[in-house]
Amino acid sequence: MALSYQALLTAVPVVLKAGNVPNIVGEAGIGKSALVAEVAKQMGAQLYTTVVSLSEKGDLAIPVPPLTSDSFIQTKRYGQLADVQFGYAHTLIEIIQYAEQHPKQPILWFLDEFNRGTQAVQSELMNLVLQRTINTLKLPEQVQLIIAENPDASMTGFESSTYGVTAGDAAIKDRTVRLVMRADVADWLAWAQQLDERMNRPNIHPLVQQFISEDVTRLNQADMQADLTATPRAWARVSANLYEIEQLPADQQTTVALDIFQGDVGTELGLVFEQFLEQQAIHLTPAMIYDSQPVGSVVPAPILKQFTAMNEIQKRTVLASCLALTTTYPLTDDQHAGRFMQLLQTLSQDGQFALVQQIGHKRDLLKQLYTANVAKQSPYVTALYQYLQQVASWSNQ
C-alpha cells in the first residue's frame, strides 16, 4: 500500500509521536525532501538534513588523539594506554547546541538517500538509528530521526527497480516503519497552485499545471528515447526555467527553450511541451470542465462543443484526468457527476466501456458511488452509478 503526499503528512507525525523512525521509500524526485520539510514546519521543529549518499566513513565521529597528560593511562602489565576521544561532524554539533538552547522545541534529523550510502557509512549510522547513540554521545530526547530510501529490488512491489542502492541491514528494517510514497497528481496540482511567498508566484507555472492536467501520466513519465524521467522534481525545474525563459527576448527564447526542456524531462516529452507552448491553445482540463460557469450539472455549451470536436483518444485522456482528480472533484458531487456522465456519453461504446473498466479498478470510488446511490439524495450521482452499471453490462451482450 502506497501513500500520497497528503496522507504522509498525517502518517509521518503519527510514527514520530509513537517514538518510532519513519522510513520513507519513493522514487527519486517524487518529493520526499519537500515532504519532510513540510512535516517539520507543521510540527514547529528545527530540521537538519544529512545526505547519506554523499557521506564518508568517519564523517559523523572522528577519533581524536589524547590532548592532555590526563588522557594517558599507565597500567602495570600492559604499558601506557591512550584514552581516545571523538570529534563530531559540524551538523551534529549544531544539533546538540540547538537542543541545549531550545530544550522544548522538537528537532528532526533527516537522513536522506540512506540506502545509497556505502555499507561502511550505513554501519556507522546503525547505532544512531537503532540506539540513538554515536560512540559515547547520546542524542537529546527532543531529536527524532527520519530516513528516506530509494526503491530496492528486494522490497515488495519494487522487484524491477534498478537504483544503485546498498540493501539495508535487517536490523534497520526491523526498527523502522516503512512508508511507501506514491506520486499523487491531485496532491501535486493542489501544491502547484499555491503561492510561493518568497517568489510571489505559484509554486508551478500555470502552463506547466495545465500541461500536466490534460494528461496526468506526464507527471511521472520515462522518456522512450533518453535516460531521463519526467518526475515531479523535473517538472518543478521546467517551471522555474520557464519563468526565467519568459524574461528573455523572443528570439532568445526560441533558441534555448527546447534544449532546456529536453534537458529536464527528456527528448520526446520536452518536444511535446515546447509544441504545447507554441500552440498557446486552450486545452480542456478537469478544472475547466467542473468550475466553468454557469454552475450546474450540465456542461456549458462552449466546453461541450470543444469536447465533442476532439477525437476519441483526446476525449478519453481528458476523462481519465478527471478520474485521477476525484479527490479534488469528487463524482459524489451532483454537479461533477452530471457533467462527467454527459461527456462520457459522447464517447463511442468501445470508448465508454474502456473507461468504465478503468473506473472498476478504483474500488474506493465505486464504494462512494454505491453509498450515494443507496442514499438516493443526489439524483445525478445515482444516475451516473446506474449508467456505469449499464455500460459495464455491455460485455455480456
Side-chain angles (χ1 to χ4, degrees), residues 185 189 211-220 317 320-321 324-325:
V185 180
L189 286 174
F211 184 70
I212 299 299
S213 294
E214 71 173 25
D215 183 356
V216 297
T217 64
R218 292 167 172 165
L219 183 62
N220 199 355
T317 298
S321 293
L325 296 180

Side-chain angles (χ1 to χ4, degrees), residues 286-348:
M288 296 166 68
I289 291 170
Y290 293 130
D291 295 337
S292 56
Q293 298 295 326
V295 174
S297 57
V298 177
V299 178
I303 299 294
L304 182 60
K305 181 179 179 181
Q306 186 176 345
F307 186 83
T308 53
M310 292 179 172
N311 62 42
E312 192 77 5
I313 294 176
Q314 291 171 328
K315 289 179 180 179
R316 286 171 57 182
T317 298
V318 171
L319 292 180
S321 293
C322 291
L323 290 176
L325 296 180
T326 52
T327 302
T328 306
Y329 299 103
L331 291 179
T332 50
D333 176 278
D334 245 7
Q335 174 173 313
H336 302 156
R339 293 190 178 189
F340 183 87
M341 183 170 68
Q342 186 180 358
L343 296 182
L344 175 64
Q345 290 172 334
T346 69
L347 271 66
S348 66

Side-chain angles (χ1 to χ4, degrees), residues 13-222:
V14 167
V15 173
L16 290 171
K17 290 175 183 177
N20 295 313
V21 178
N23 178 7
I24 305 168
V25 176
E27 304 285 348
I30 202 172
K32 299 186 292 294
S33 298
L35 169 73
V36 173
E38 183 64 24
V39 168
K41 181 179 178 181
Q42 290 188 6
M43 294 178 61
Q46 180 70 14
L47 175 63
Y48 293 90
T49 298
T50 296
V51 181
V52 178
S53 62
L54 301 179
S55 301
E56 300 287 345
K57 182 175 174 57
D59 278 357
L60 284 180
I62 306 171
V64 176
L67 300 178
T68 69
S69 58
D70 293 336
S71 300
F72 291 90
I73 301 171
Q74 187 65 46
T75 68
K76 291 182 179 180
R77 299 178 58 186
Y78 304 106
Q80 191 178 60
L81 304 178
D83 186 8
V84 177
Q85 302 298 310
F86 291 88
Y88 293 98
H90 192 65
T91 297
L92 187 51
I93 292 172
E94 286 184 332
I95 290 174
I96 298 299
Q97 290 178 335
Y98 193 90
E100 289 184 332
Q101 295 166 8
H102 306 84
K104 295 184 178 180
Q105 183 179 359
I107 297 172
L108 296 183
W109 191 358
F110 180 39
L111 304 179
D112 196 10
E113 298 187 349
F114 191 88
N115 62 343
R116 300 191 76 171
T118 64
Q119 191 65 59
V121 171
Q122 288 191 38
S123 296
E124 188 174 54
L125 293 171
M126 286 286 284
N127 279 339
L128 178 63
V129 177
L130 303 181
Q131 305 295 335
R132 296 177 56 82
T133 62
I134 305 175
N135 298 313
T136 59
L137 177 64
K138 187 172 181 64
L139 288 179
E141 290 295 326
Q142 73 212 75
V143 177
Q144 293 179 288
L145 299 170
I146 300 177
I147 70 176
E149 296 184 324
N150 288 132
D152 173 358
S154 68
M155 297 177 181
T156 302
F158 296 104
E159 289 79 5
S160 60
S161 177
T162 58
Y163 285 97
V165 301
T166 302
D169 188 280
I172 289 288
K173 296 178 182 179
D174 186 52
R175 300 291 184 89
T176 61
V177 180
R178 181 182 295 171
L179 300 172
V180 178
M181 184 176 184
R182 61 178 168 84
D184 186 278
V185 180
D187 282 353
W188 189 85
L189 286 174
W191 166 81
Q193 295 169 13
Q194 295 173 8
L195 184 68
D196 181 340
E197 296 179 358
R198 183 176 61 88
M199 302 297 292
N200 194 31
R201 67 192 188 193
N203 283 326
I204 298 295
H205 195 291
L207 286 173
V208 176
Q209 295 181 40
Q210 185 175 336
F211 184 70
I212 299 299
S213 294
E214 71 173 25
D215 183 356
V216 297
T217 64
R218 292 167 172 165
L219 183 62
N220 199 355
Q221 179 176 317

Side-chain angles (χ1 to χ4, degrees), residues 271-282:
L271 177 60
V272 173
F273 180 67
E274 198 259 353
Q275 291 172 341
F276 163 80
L277 295 179
E278 284 183 350
Q279 293 170 0
Q280 295 183 350
I282 298 177

